[in-house]
Amino acid sequence: IAGITQAPTSQILAAGRRMTLRCTQDMRHNAMYWYRQDLGLGLRLIHYSNTAGTTGKGEVPDGYSVSRANTDDFPLTLASAVPSQTSVYFCASGTDDNSPLHFGNGTRLTVT
Amino acid sequence: GQNIDQPTEMTATEGAIVQINCTYQTSGFNGLFWYQQHAGEAPTFLSYNVLDGLEEKGRFSSFLSRSKGYSYLLLKELQMKDSASYLCAVRDSNYQLIWGAGTKLIIKP
């Protein structure tokens, strides 16, 4: 089934630990995005990639890094997790500027 | 700054009609999207407006007025499964999506 797969579904992480959230899509979309969603706030863009080999910073990039080695994969890494990074993380992909985004099912991350 | 405003929560009755408003102030405009998000799930695309007017898609319609910085999502013949959050998002001049915080819609029998 075509779509976006995120892993893990949920995770409890001790502060200071390193964590990589995985995102894979099989729709051959050029653009991919990482968002965090917190109660009472809109989706906030962390990092994005318009095409394989390129990445860019979004609204809230501090504490996060990404890579885009190929079209399908767009992992998000927290180098040293802090409690304020407790959130639900969504990966999304899209084709062109007028097309809607397709979202993965999210990763619920709790940093203790 | 850029801002999108939506009501935090709305309540409606099954079978009725509800209108969810969205006002925006962004640096440029390149389209407005509405998404539906059920609790604990991913957002899913509902509608897209780039020109003024009404776009109808089954029970759901979306309206846009660019001069007023205003859109609404109209849901007709409400069903219990329509209980969800509805997210408004605008593409700005840099083609970045700016998201509203979402409107939680509660449907009562």
Side-chain angles (χ1 to χ4, degrees):
Chain A
I1 297 177
I4 299 182
T5 302
Q6 289 186 237
T9 303
S10 65
Q11 181 75 45
I12 299 174
L13 188 68
R17 298 295 296 270
R18 180 184 179 90
M19 172 78 188
T20 295
L21 280 59
R22 299 185 298 278
C23 175
T24 300
Q25 54 107 356
D26 61 3
M27 296 176 285
R28 308 305 293 173
H29 288 169
N30 282 329
M32 296 188 75
Y33 308 85
W34 273 106
Y35 288 95
R36 60 177 291 173
Q37 187 174 40
D38 301 289
L39 197 63
L41 299 177
L43 288 163
R44 292 185 291 169
L45 183 65
I46 305 171
H47 285 285
Y48 65 94
S49 169
N50 288 328
T51 189
T54 68
T55 62
K57 294 182 179 181
E59 179 186 355
V60 288
D62 294 343
Y64 306 95
S65 63
V66 291
S67 62
R68 186 87 184 277
N70 56 62
T71 298
D72 297 345
D73 301 301
F74 192 44
L76 176 74
T77 297
L78 289 67
S80 180
V82 295
S84 62
Q85 291 178 312
T86 293
S87 187
V88 179
Y89 292 86
F90 285 102
C91 179
S93 71
T95 53
D96 58 48
D97 294 326
N98 292 329
S99 68
L101 297 186
H102 296 257
F103 285 84
N105 287 329
T107 295
R108 185 175 297 274
L109 180 68
T110 303
V111 182
T112 61
Chain B
Q2 306 202 91
N3 192 54
I4 296 186
D5 288 318
Q6 307 178 233
T8 301
E9 186 175 295
M10 299 182 69
T11 301
T13 304
E14 189 177 16
I17 299 173
V18 70
Q19 177 176 310
I20 302 174
N21 296 326
C22 170
T23 59
Y24 62 89
Q25 292 175 309
T26 57
S27 56
F29 177 85
N30 282 297
L32 184 145
F33 296 83
W34 283 96
Y35 284 79
Q36 180 190 60
Q37 185 177 25
H38 285 100
E41 298 183 8
T44 56
F45 170 72
L46 284 179
S47 68
Y48 172 69
N49 295 73
V50 66
L51 299 176
D52 291 349
L54 189 68
E55 293 283 340
E56 297 186 80
K57 195 183 285 188
R59 294 189 299 115
F60 293 6
S61 303
S62 57
F63 172 83
L64 174 67
S65 169
R66 288 172 294 171
S67 62
K68 296 182 179 179
Y70 168 70
S71 173
Y72 67 73
L73 181 69
L74 191 71
L75 291 74
K76 303 176 184 176
E77 302 169 14
L78 286 170
Q79 302 176 10
M80 297 303 293
K81 67 178 181 179
D82 297 329
S83 291
S85 289
Y86 291 86
L87 314 181
C88 175
V90 173
R91 277 203 197 280
D92 67 11
S93 56
N94 294 319
Y95 286 88
Q96 294 296 325
L97 270 176
I98 311 301
W99 294 83
T103 299
K104 182 178 181 180
L105 178 63
I106 299 168
I107 310 296
K108 295 186 175 181

